[in-house]
C-alpha cells in the first residue's frame, strides 16, 4: 500500500472532525517503502513502456501522421543522457525504415532516473539533428581565431597530435600537455589514459563549480560530496534550488517529492524565490554569503535544547582532541564538550543570524527544532550555490554538515551519506601506476589545500610566465564563455607561445572552439560509450552510455569497427580516440605507453571498446549472475538494458563496517585516539571496543576540530566557522549604488553550453534579465525591460531589468546560462541561441563586445529554423567577472559586487567592456591572500586529502632545491 491522496469528501470530513485527520502535518511512515515497489506495482508501471522483449521490433502509431493511423516500427536501444551530470536513462527509438533515431524516452530500467527525465533528456534529439552541428574533423586555416576551417581526416588529426605529444614526452616536457574537461560524463577512462602517458595533465572545471562545498565536507569526514537520502527523510534542507536544477537534478527531484509526499518538510535557503523555494514549506531568503551564520544559529539551538544525538557525537566526533587543543584547562568529558561548543557559538543567536541574513529569527528557531526532531532522518544539500559563490563559501558546507553530525544523520537512512558510498568505481584493464609528476600550473603551491585544479587561474599563470601549454585539449569545455574573465582566456589562446596546439573535442561549436587549431567532433548521448554511476539515492547503480546506431548495426548483423562509421558524418567518440592516439604516440611500444592499451585477451593487439567494457562489467558484483540468467555476456546485458542496480539501498552507516580478521593482522592501535594502523597507514578506529573502518580522516571520525587547518596556517578556522563573504553588506557602498549580484543560478531547461543546439530548450528559455525587487526598481526608477548597466571590478555589461517580487530586496540576480555569441567570421553554430557580436581590442587589453544582431530565423533542412520567433539572445555576463579564488579551497567565488547605474545614451543592450590589465591585477590581489605550501614535512598538500588523478606520493613533497 502506498500513499493515498485524500478525496474531496475525506478532506472535508477530516477538517470538520467527522473522521480522524490522517493527513495532518507530520511524518507518515509508509507501510511500503516508496523506493521498493511491489513486483505487481513495478509490472504495472512498466506496462506503459515497451517491454524489453519487444525492443527489437516495437510498433506504434506515428504521431505526426495523426489523425491517420500510420504504424511505425522501431528498434529501441538504451543509452544515458549527457546533458547534465545525472546521466539519467534514455531509450533511443530508431526508425527501422530510415535507420535514424527519431526520439528519446526514459529508460525504466535505470535505477537512478526510473524512466523519468527532465526536458533536457528528450531534447537530445534536437542536438542530434541540429543543422549547425560539426560532422567532420576540422583544422584551422589562417591565423588562430580568424574563423577559417578546412575538413581533414581523423588520421591527419591523430598524426598531428600524437607527433607533438611524443616530442614533448621525449623532451621531458610532460607538464606542457593538458586535458581540460568541462563535462566528464564518464567514470574512470581518463584516469586510465593520462597516468599511462605519465603526465599530471588533467585539469577540470571543478573550481568554478563545486570544490568550495567539497572542501567543507572533506574537512569533516574525508569525503567531498553529500548523498542525501531525500525519499526517506523527515526534514530536508536545501541551500539553493536543488529541487529544480541541482546536482543529480531529476533523480533528486523525484525523491525530494517522494519524501514530501510521505510528510517530510522542506526548507530552502535562497535569496531568490526559485521554483524550489516555491515548493518548500519554509523559504529562507538569506542575504548571499550569510548562510553559515544561519546554520550555526541552528546548531546552537540544537545544542542548547539538547536535541543532539549524544551517542553519535560521543562516538563519531573527535571531541577529545578538540578539548585538549582548545580547552586544555578543562577536563576531557563529554559534558565539557557540549558546554565548550555552546560557549564557542554563543554569539550565533537567531537574532544575530537574522541581522546577518535577513531570515527571521523565529523561522530559524522553528526549523532548528524540526531538524533536531528529525534526528537521523535529516537530509540536506549544498552543492554549488553558496559554497561556490563566496569568499569562505566552503564554510557553508562545513556548517551544514555540522547539523548532520549533531543529529547523527551522517550516513543514516533518511540522512545524508558520503557520495562515495553510493557510487561504483570501475576496475580498468592494465591499471597504470600513478604519474611521478606534479603540475604546478594546475596545483600551484600558493593553494596547497585547493580541492581541485586552479583551472580558472590557468590563463593568468600563463600570462605571468609560469609555463606553457604545448598540447592542450579542451573537452566539452568552453572557458571563454562559461568561466570568469573570458577575454584573458581569449588573449592567451591567441598567443601560440602560451597555448601551442589547441584541440577542441566537442559535439558542438562553442566560443572556445573558435580559438582552437583542431576541432574534433565528439558524440552526443547516443553516439558514444561511457559508464556512469552517481549518488542519486541510498543505493548504487551503474549505467552504460552507448552509440545506439552502432549497437543497432551489431544487432542487425552489420557490425562496425569504429563508432564514427555508424554515427552521423564522422562524429567519433573519445574512448576510441584516446586508445588510437595512445598507440600513435608510442607506435613500437618503446615508450612504455602502448602496453596499457593492448587487449587483455590477445597480447600485442589493440584493445577494442568491447573488450574494455566487458573487462569492467564482468567485475561488477552481481552482474555476471544476472547476465547469465538472461543468457547474455555482461557486455551484452548492459547493451540490452542500459543499467544495472548493484545495491538497492542498504549502504547506510558504512563507517561502522567491522575490520575483517585478515585486515587486523599486524595492526597497531593508537592508545590516545584508538586509530588502527597497518604498515604506516591508518585503516580503522576502535569504537566501543570494536575495530571498525571509520572515516578517511586523521582521527577516522568526523573532525569537529581540524588539526589540518592549524598545521596549514589557518588556525582561526580549526572548527566550523562563519566567514564574512567578499560581498558582505559591510563592504558594499550603497551610496554608490553597490549591490550584490547572484550570477550563478541555473535554469532547469538549459545546460551551460550544449543547450545552444537544442531548439526546444532555447525556445523555452532564451533571455537572462537582471532580477530586481520592486523596492529596488522603484529606487532607481526602473521598470521591466529598462536597460541597466552592471559595473563589475573589471568592466561592465548592459542588460535589461526584470522587476519581480521573487527577489530579495537589496540583491540582484542573473542566470548564467544565456548570452551565447558568435562573430560574423565564425562558422555558423548554435544559431537557435547565439547573438552575432562584434569584438574589439582597441587598446592593449581593453576589450569591447557589442551585439550586431540577435537571434534570427534561418534556412536549413529543419523547417523549425524558419519559425524562430525569439530574437533576444541575452547577455554574456561571466566575461565581465574577475577571478576571485578563495585562498583556501581555491573555489572561484562567483558572487559579484556590482555598481548599478543607468546606461548612457550611446550605450546599448548587450554592450560589454573588460580591461584585462585590471583583471590580472585582481588575480594578484587574491593571490596575495593565500598562505602557500610547504606545510608540515615540506608537503605541498596534506597527504590525507584526496586529489583528482592523484600522483605518486613522492610528488607531494616540494623539492628542496626548488625552495632555495
Ligand atoms: S536531469 Fe535531465 S539533463 Fe540531467 S541527465 Fe537527467 S534527463 Fe538529462
Amino acid at each position: 500500500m502506498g500513499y493515498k491522496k485524500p478525496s474531496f469528501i475525506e478532506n472535508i470530513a477530516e477538517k470538520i472532525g467527522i473522521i480522524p485527520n490522517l493527513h495532518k502535518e507530520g511524518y507518515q511512515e509508509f507501510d511500503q517503502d516508496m523506493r521498493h515497489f511491489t513486483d505487481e506495482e513495478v509490472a504495472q508501471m512498466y506496462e506503459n513502456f515497451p517491454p524489453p522483449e519487444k525492443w527489437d521490433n516495437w510498433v506504434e502509431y506515428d504521431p505526426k501522421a495523426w489523425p491517420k493511423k500510420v504504424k511505425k516500427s522501431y528498434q529501441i536501444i538504451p543509452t544515458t543522457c549527457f546533458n547534465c551530470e545525472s546521466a539519467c536513462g534514455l531509450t533511443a527509438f530508431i526508425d527501422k525504415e530510415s535507420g535514424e533515431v527519431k526520439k528519446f524516452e526514459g529508460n525504466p530500467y535505470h535505477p537512478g532516473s526510473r524512466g523519468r527525465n527532465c526536458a533536457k533528456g528528450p531534447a537530445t534529439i534536437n542536438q542530434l539533428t541540429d543543422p549547425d552541428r560539426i560532422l567532420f574533423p576540422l583544422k584551422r586555416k589562417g591565423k588562430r581565431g580568424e574563423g577559417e576551417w578546412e575538413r581533414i581526416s581523423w588520421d591527419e588529426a591523430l598524426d598531428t597530435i600524437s607527433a607533438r605529444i611524443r616530442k614533448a614526452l621525449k623532451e621531458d616536457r610532460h607538464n606542457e600537455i593538458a586535458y581540460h574537461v568541462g563535462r566528464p560524463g564518464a567514470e574512470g577512462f581518463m584516469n586510465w589514459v593520462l597516468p599511462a602517458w605519465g603526465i599530471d595533465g588533467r585539469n577540470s572545471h571543478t573550481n568554478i563549480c563545486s570544490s568550495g562545498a567539497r572542501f567543507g565536507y572533506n574537512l569533516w569526514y574525508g569525503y567531498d560530496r553529500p548523498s542525501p537520502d531525500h525519499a526517506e527523510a523527515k526534514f530536508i534542507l536545501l541551500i539553493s534550488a536543488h529541487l529544480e536544477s541541482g546536482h543529480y537534478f531529476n533523480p533528486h527531484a523525484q525523491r525530494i517529492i517522494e519524501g514530501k509526499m510521505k510528510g517530510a518538510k522542506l526548507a530552502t535557503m535562497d535569496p531568490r524565490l526559485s521554483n524550489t523555494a516555491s515548493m518548500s514549506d519554509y523559504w529562507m531568503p538569506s542575504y548571499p554569503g550569510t548562510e553559515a551564520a544561519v546554520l550555526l544559529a541552528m546548531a546552537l539551538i540544537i545544542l542548547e535544547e539538547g536535541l543532539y544525538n549524544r551517542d553519535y557525537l560521543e562516538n563519531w566526533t573527535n571531541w577529545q582532541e578538540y578539548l585538549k587543543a582548545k580547552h586544555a584547562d578543562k577536563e576531557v568529558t563529554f559534558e565539557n564538550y557540549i558546554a565548550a561548543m555552546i560557549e564557542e557559538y554563543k554569539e550565533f543567536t537567531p537574532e544575530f543570524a537574522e541581522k546577518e541574513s535577513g531570515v527571521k529569527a523565529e523561522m530559524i528557531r522553528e526549523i532548528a527544532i524540526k531538524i533536531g526532531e528529525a534526528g537521523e532522518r535529516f537530509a540536506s544539500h549544498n552543492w554549488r550555490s553558496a559554497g561556490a559563490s563566496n569568499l569562505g563559501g566552503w564554510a557553508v558546507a562545513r556548517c551544514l554538515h555540522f547539523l548532520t553530525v549533531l543529529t547523527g544523520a551522517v550516513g543514516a537512512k533518511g540522512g545524508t551519506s558520503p557520495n562515495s558510498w553510493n557510487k561504483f568505481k570501475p576496475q580498468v584493464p592494465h591499471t597504470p601506476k600513478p604519474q611521478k609528476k606534479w603540475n604546478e600550473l594546475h596545483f600551484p603551491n600558493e593553494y596547497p589545500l585547493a580541492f581541485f585544479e586552479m583551472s580558472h587561474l590557468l590563463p593568468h599563470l600563463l600570462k605571468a610566465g609560469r609555463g606553457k601549454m604545448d598540447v592542450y585539449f579542451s573537452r566539452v569545455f568552453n572557458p571563454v564563455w562559461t568561466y570568469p574573465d573570458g577575454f584573458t582566456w581569449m588573449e592567451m589562446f591567441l598567443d601560440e607561445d602560451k597555448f601551442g596546439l589547441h584541440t577542441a573535442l566537442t559535439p558542438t561549436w562553442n566560443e572556445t572552439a573558435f580559438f582552437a587549431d583542431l576541432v574534433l567532433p565528439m558524440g552526443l548521448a547516443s553516439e558514444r560509450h561511457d559508464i556512469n554511476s552517481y549518488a542519486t539515492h541510498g543505493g548504487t547503480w551503474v549505467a552504460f552510455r552507448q552509440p545506439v546506431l552502432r549497437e543497432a548495426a551489431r544487432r542487425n548483423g552489420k557490425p562496425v569497427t569504429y563508432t564514427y562509421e555508424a554515427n552521423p558524418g564522422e562524429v567519433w567518440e573519445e574512448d576510441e580516440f584516446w586508445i588510437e592516439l595512445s598507440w600513435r604516440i608510442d607506435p613500437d611500444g618503446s615508450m612504455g605507453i602502448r602496453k596499457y592499451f593492448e587487449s587483455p585477451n590477445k597480447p600485442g593487439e589493440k584493445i577494442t571498446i568491447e573488450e574494455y567494457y566487458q573487462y569492467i562489467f564482468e567485475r561488477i558484483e552481481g552482474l555476471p549472475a544476472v547476465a547469465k540468467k538472461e543468457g547474455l555476456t555482461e557486455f551484452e546485458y548492459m547493451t540490452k538494458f542500459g543499467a544495472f542496480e548493484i545495491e538497492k539501498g542498504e549502504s547506510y552507516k558504512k563507517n561502522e563496517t567491522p575490520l575483517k580478521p585478515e585486515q587486523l593482522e599486524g595492526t597497531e592501535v593508537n592508545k590516545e585516539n584508538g586509530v588502527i594502523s597497518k604498515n604506516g597507514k591508518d585503516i580503522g578506529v576502535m569504537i566501543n571496543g570494536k575495530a571498525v573502518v571509520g572515516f578517511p580522516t586523521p582521527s577516522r571520525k568526523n573532525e569537529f576540530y581540524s588539526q589540518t587547518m592549524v598545521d596549514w596556517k589557518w588556525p582561526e578556522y580549526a572548527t566550523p566557522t562563519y566567514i564574512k563573504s567578499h560581498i558582505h553588506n559591510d563592504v558594499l557602498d550603497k551610496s554608490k549604488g553597490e549591490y550584490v549580484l547572484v550570477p550563478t543560478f541555473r535554469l532547469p531547461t538549459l545546460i551551460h553550453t550544449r543547450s545552444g543546439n537544442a531548439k526546444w530548450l532555447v525556445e523555452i528559455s532564451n533571455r537572462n534579465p537582471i532580477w530586481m525587487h520592486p523596492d529596488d526598481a522603484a529606487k532607481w526608477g526602473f521598470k521591466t525591460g529598462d536597460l541597466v548597466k552592471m559595473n563589475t571590478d573589471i568592466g561592465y555589461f548592459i542588460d535589461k531589468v526584470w522587476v519581480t517580487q521573487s527577489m530579495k530586496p537589496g540583491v540582484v540576480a542573473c542566470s548564467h546560462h544565456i548570452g551565447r555569441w558568435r562573430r560574423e567570421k565564425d562558422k555558423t553554430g548554435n544559431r537557435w541561441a547565439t547573438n552575432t557580436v562584434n569584438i574589439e581590442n582597441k587598446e592593449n587589453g581593453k576589450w569591447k563586445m557589442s551585439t550586431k544582431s540577435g537571434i534570427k530565423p534561418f534556412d536549413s533542412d529543419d523547417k523549425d529554423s524558419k519559425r524562430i520567433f525569439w530574437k533576444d539572445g541575452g547577455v554574456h555576463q561571466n566575461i565581465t567577472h574577475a577571478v576571485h579564488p578563495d585562498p583556501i579551497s581555491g573555489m572561484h567565488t562567483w558572487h559579484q559586487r556590482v555598481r548599478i547605474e543607468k546606461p548612457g545614451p550611446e550605450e546599448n543592450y548587450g554592450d560589454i567592456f573588460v580591461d584585462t590589465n585590471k583583471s590580472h591585477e585582481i588575480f594578484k590581489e587574491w593571490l596575495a591572500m593565500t598562505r602557500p605550501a610547504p606545510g608540515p614535512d615540506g608537503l605541498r598538500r596534506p597527504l590525507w586529502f584526496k586529489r583528482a588523478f592523484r600522483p605518486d606520493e613522492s610528488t607531494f613533497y616540494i623539492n628542496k632545491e626548488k625552495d632555495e
Side-chain angles (χ1 to χ4, degrees):
M1 261 285 284
Y3 175 83
K4 286 232 169 60
K5 227 178 124 193
S7 68
F8 177 70
I9 303 283
E10 277 174 321
N11 249 332
I12 301 273
E14 280 176 354
K15 279 204 179 109
I16 57 178
I18 297 175
I19 58 170
N21 186 350
L22 298 173
H23 301 93
K24 66 176 180 246
E25 300 232 317
Y27 187 80
Q28 294 173 23
E29 193 72 60
F30 271 17
D31 49 4
Q32 193 80 58
D33 183 323
M34 277 294 287
R35 204 174 43 221
H36 302 121
F37 299 101
T38 63
D39 288 349
E40 294 73 40
E41 282 168 330
V42 172
Q44 210 181 356
M45 263 192 287
Y46 289 172
E47 217 166 67
N48 294 328
F49 197 85
E53 60 276 14
K54 292 193 180 166
W55 283 12
D56 273 334
N57 188 25
W58 175 250
V59 181
E60 64 181 30
Y61 292 122
D62 180 3
K64 282 194 176 156
W66 188 86
K68 283 191 200 146
K69 286 189 170 177
V70 177
K71 283 187 178 171
K72 277 263 177 206
S73 300
Y74 297 98
Q75 192 163 20
I76 299 175
I77 300 200
T79 185
T80 63
C81 182
F82 191 33
N83 279 340
C84 85
E85 58 283 0
S86 312
C88 298
L90 291 177
T91 42
F93 284 61
I94 301 168
D95 184 332
K96 293 189 97 168
E97 226 172 86
S98 67
E100 291 169 353
V101 180
K102 286 294 176 196
K103 65 171 176 174
F104 290 93
E105 293 197 359
N107 178 5
Y109 296 96
H110 187 295
S113 57
R114 305 179 293 189
R116 305 169 212 175
N117 296 105
C118 79
K120 302 186 290 269
T124 299
I125 191 67
N126 298 161
Q127 298 170 312
L128 255 54
T129 56
D130 173 34
D132 285 352
R133 69 177 298 191
I134 310 162
L135 290 171
F136 301 97
L138 299 171
K139 179 169 95 175
R140 80 168 148 94
K141 283 199 294 186
K143 285 192 182 153
R144 192 183 284 165
E146 280 191 340
E148 292 291 319
W149 300 90
E150 64 182 339
R151 183 176 160 184
I152 57 165
S153 65
W154 276 110
D155 270 333
E156 185 180 342
L158 287 161
D159 287 342
T160 307
I161 303 166
S162 58
R164 197 137 173 174
I165 293 179
R166 184 165 55 248
K167 189 164 185 298
L169 291 178
K170 289 206 159 163
E171 292 171 3
D172 196 19
R173 292 183 288 111
H174 293 63
N175 284 353
E176 293 182 10
I177 305 166
Y179 157 82
H180 206 151
V181 61
R183 168 63 36 229
E187 291 302 316
F189 203 89
M190 294 313 285
N191 306 57
W192 183 51
V193 174
L194 300 179
W197 297 359
I199 65 167
D200 191 29
R202 191 260 197 178
N203 208 335
S204 69
H205 73 284
T206 311
N207 254 328
I208 62 146
C209 175
S210 59
S211 57
R214 288 174 189 255
F215 183 83
Y217 284 111
N218 179 68
L219 269 189
W220 264 111
Y221 66 168
Y223 296 105
D224 64 351
R225 280 174 285 175
S227 175
D229 193 13
H230 294 305
E232 303 295 340
K234 287 187 180 176
F235 198 92
I236 303 171
L237 174 58
L238 304 176
I239 316 265
S240 189
H242 294 279
L243 175 55
E244 79 208 62
S245 58
H247 211 241
Y248 309 144
F249 159 36
N250 154 50
H252 271 185
Q254 43 182 281
R255 290 170 173 91
I256 291 172
I257 295 300
E258 278 173 25
K260 269 182 76 69
M261 284 166 64
K262 290 196 275 181
K265 293 290 172 204
L266 173 62
T268 299
M269 200 169 349
D270 192 330
R272 273 186 329 121
L273 181 65
S274 61
N275 295 345
T276 305
S278 71
M279 294 290 288
S280 303
D281 301 284
Y282 301 93
W283 174 37
M284 292 181 276
S286 49
Y287 182 83
T290 62
E291 295 83 355
V294 176
L295 297 167
L296 288 180
M298 291 178 180
L300 182 63
I301 292 163
I302 290 172
L303 285 165
E304 285 177 337
E305 298 289 329
L307 290 167
Y308 54 83
N309 184 327
R310 176 177 176 134
D311 193 47
Y312 194 81
L313 286 183
E314 200 163 6
N315 288 318
W316 285 107
T317 63
N318 65 339
W319 58 275
Q320 297 93 335
E321 192 182 352
Y322 162 65
L323 286 179
K324 282 178 202 159
K326 296 260 289 189
H327 300 278
D329 54 324
K330 290 196 178 115
E331 209 187 326
V332 181
T333 63
F334 184 77
E335 286 65 32
N336 279 343
Y337 172 40
I338 298 294
M341 282 197 284
I342 290 175
E343 176 65 20
E344 181 144 356
Y345 296 110
K346 68 175 182 224
E347 70 173 290
F348 290 94
T349 58
E351 290 69 30
F352 170 79
E354 176 176 342
K355 197 172 123 282
E356 284 296 287
S357 68
V359 180
K360 294 273 172 249
E362 305 86 81
M363 187 183 274
I364 295 173
R365 194 181 305 280
E366 189 177 330
I367 292 173
I369 302 285
K370 288 235 176 328
I371 291 172
E373 286 169 357
E376 289 197 344
R377 295 176 95 152
F378 166 59
S380 63
H381 209 316
N382 166 44
W383 193 234
R384 297 174 179 102
S385 64
S389 307
N390 298 291
L391 176 73
W394 56 271
V396 179
R398 197 184 189 192
C399 293
L400 182 59
H401 189 76
F402 189 16
L403 299 181
T404 309
V405 170
L406 287 174
T407 49
V410 185
K413 183 169 178 165
T416 308
S417 290
N419 162 292
S420 322
W421 290 3
N422 302 128
K423 195 167 155 71
F424 157 76
K425 241 184 149 180
Q427 225 181 302
V428 298
H430 309 308
T431 313
K433 288 211 170 93
Q435 68 276 12
K436 291 206 164 161
K437 303 280 174 194
W438 184 289
N439 195 333
E440 291 181 10
L441 285 173
H442 305 325
F443 282 98
N445 289 336
E446 286 92 342
Y447 295 91
L449 304 178
F451 219 63
F452 270 77
E453 305 87 3
M454 297 300 294
S455 63
H456 44 320
L457 299 193
L458 180 61
H460 287 284
L461 296 172
L462 296 178
K463 200 171 190 170
R466 292 215 195 171
K468 70 172 285 192
M469 290 279 118
D470 187 48
V471 186
Y472 179 78
F473 296 93
S474 53
R475 185 247 157 140
V476 194
F477 181 56
N478 184 13
V480 170
W481 189 76
T482 50
Y483 268 49
D485 202 10
F487 282 122
T488 298
W489 280 92
M490 217 184 278
E491 281 176 1
M492 293 301 104
F493 279 135
L494 288 169
D495 183 346
E496 290 186 39
D497 290 335
K498 305 292 187 201
F499 282 99
L501 178 70
H502 173 196
T503 302
L505 308 169
T506 176
T508 175
W509 279 108
N510 64 53
E511 290 79 350
T512 299
F514 297 150
F515 300 94
D517 302 307
L518 298 171
V519 172
L520 305 182
M522 292 297 170
L524 292 156
S526 57
E527 299 169 342
R528 52 185 298 125
H529 290 97
D530 292 311
I531 39 178
N532 321 115
S533 179
Y534 298 112
T536 53
H537 60 284
T540 309
W541 52 266
V542 57
F544 192 33
R545 184 176 291 137
Q546 61 178 334
V548 299
L549 294 178
R550 178 179 178 161
E551 173 56 12
R554 185 183 76 84
R555 288 191 203 174
N556 301 336
K558 293 178 193 155
V560 297
T561 312
Y562 293 109
T563 294
Y564 62 71
E565 296 168 59
N567 276 345
E570 285 182 9
V571 171
W572 206 0
E573 64 167 295
E574 279 146 74
D575 288 7
E576 285 182 345
F577 170 80
W578 295 118
I579 294 170
E580 197 58 44
L581 188 65
S582 301
W583 268 66
R584 291 190 197 210
I585 292 168
D586 184 16
D588 57 8
S590 60
M591 294 169 77
I593 292 174
R594 208 185 81 172
K595 64 182 183 203
Y596 295 108
F597 305 95
E598 287 178 2
S599 160
N601 314 314
K602 298 176 213 144
E605 286 188 26
K606 200 180 294 173
I607 189 169
T608 65
I609 207 75
E610 279 196 30
E611 285 175 321
Y612 175 79
Y613 284 106
Q614 173 62 24
Y615 183 94
I616 293 171
F617 293 152
E618 67 193 21
R619 284 165 177 75
I620 295 177
E621 209 183 324
L623 178 54
V626 173
K628 202 171 165 203
K629 240 189 198 168
E630 296 273 341
L632 301 170
T633 65
E634 293 79 1
F635 180 81
E636 286 166 345
Y637 181 92
M638 292 302 282
T639 59
K640 182 170 178 186
F641 292 99
F644 175 70
E645 188 163 43
I646 299 171
E647 192 262 303
K648 270 189 194 307
E650 295 86 33
S651 36
Y652 300 114
K653 301 269 181 184
K654 284 192 176 182
N655 50 307
E656 293 175 7
T657 309
L659 287 170
K660 295 182 186 133
E662 61 272 24
Q663 288 175 300
L664 283 168
E665 261 170 45
T667 53
E668 284 171 30
V669 179
N670 181 319
K671 285 206 180 80
E672 207 170 323
N673 59 14
V675 171
I676 304 165
S677 56
K678 188 173 179 171
N679 305 326
K681 299 260 177 234
D682 297 340
I683 61 161
V685 64
M686 295 302 296
I687 301 287
N688 290 328
K690 283 191 198 138
V692 294
V693 295
F695 295 101
T697 57
S699 64
R700 307 298 290 187
K701 297 180 179 177
N702 286 282
E703 301 216 329
F704 173 69
Y705 170 78
S706 173
Q707 186 61 39
T708 304
M709 290 302 276
V710 177
D711 292 344
W712 288 80
K713 309 171 195 169
W714 296 96
E716 63 271 48
Y717 302 139
T719 52
T721 334
Y722 166 47
I723 301 172
K724 284 191 177 175
S725 171
H726 64 300
I727 45 82
H728 188 271
N729 251 325
D730 290 353
V731 299
L732 300 186
D733 187 344
K734 295 275 167 150
S735 69
K736 287 189 182 150
E738 287 183 352
Y739 272 65
V740 52
L741 169 69
V742 173
T744 42
F745 72 89
R746 272 179 161 190
L747 297 174
T749 39
L750 295 185
I751 313 136
H752 301 282
T753 294
R754 281 160 300 132
S755 42
N757 61 345
K759 60 185 180 186
W760 296 339
L761 302 177
V762 182
E763 182 182 358
I764 298 169
S765 319
N766 44 63
R767 284 175 294 169
N768 60 340
I770 303 295
W771 292 37
M772 192 180 280
H773 189 271
D775 291 353
D776 293 314
K779 228 181 283 169
W780 291 96
F782 284 134
K783 55 185 188 315
T784 293
D786 284 352
L787 294 186
V788 55
K789 186 171 180 181
M790 308 289 286
N791 294 285
T792 64
D793 289 348
I794 60 170
Y796 63 79
F797 66 99
I798 298 183
D799 203 339
K800 288 179 184 165
V801 172
W802 182 44
V803 181
T804 171
Q805 293 273 0
S806 299
M807 198 66 229
K808 184 179 175 66
V811 183
V812 289
C814 182
S815 157
H816 67 165
H817 284 304
I818 298 170
R820 303 294 310 284
W821 51 262
R822 65 181 195 279
R823 303 160 303 171
E824 249 165 1
K825 59 185 165 191
D826 290 322
K827 286 281 263 188
T828 48
N830 308 307
R831 277 178 289 175
W832 313 97
T834 47
N835 291 323
T836 307
V837 299
N838 190 39
I839 297 179
E840 294 170 297
N841 181 9
K842 276 197 175 155
E843 286 169 65
N844 190 20
K846 297 209 169 43
W847 292 84
K848 190 154 188 333
M849 185 189 293
S850 51
T851 306
K852 294 190 81 160
S853 62
I855 300 164
K856 291 189 212 157
F858 59 92
D859 280 322
S860 78
D861 291 343
D862 183 340
K863 284 185 193 144
D864 283 344
S865 65
K866 285 294 274 180
R867 299 181 183 127
I868 293 178
F869 58 83
W870 56 97
K871 299 187 176 86
D872 179 353
V875 186
H876 182 190
Q877 58 163 333
N878 292 2
I879 204 163
T880 67
H881 300 177
V883 288
H884 294 156
D886 180 89
I888 300 176
S889 69
M891 175 77 218
H892 173 62
T893 57
W894 276 104
H895 288 343
Q896 298 287 311
R897 175 178 55 185
V898 286
R899 187 168 51 79
I900 291 180
E901 62 177 335
K902 289 198 168 179
E906 302 299 315
E907 293 180 314
N908 298 307
Y909 180 49
D911 281 0
I912 284 168
F913 172 77
V914 168
D915 181 349
T916 53
N917 302 305
K918 259 192 194 167
S919 71
H920 197 58
E921 289 310 307
I922 289 175
F923 152 73
K924 288 186 202 157
E925 272 171 34
W926 283 67
L927 191 65
M929 291 157 62
T930 60
R931 298 179 191 170
D937 304 328
L939 280 166
R940 47 169 112 235
R941 181 179 182 81
L943 281 172
W944 74 271
F945 267 32
K946 282 187 185 145
R947 214 213 83 171
F949 290 65
R950 189 182 177 93
D952 187 79
E953 196 163 304
S954 60
T955 65
F956 276 64
Y957 296 87
I958 297 180
N959 189 335
K960 279 220 166 106
E961 299 97 79
K962 261 193 188 170
D963 291 341
E964 285 157 8

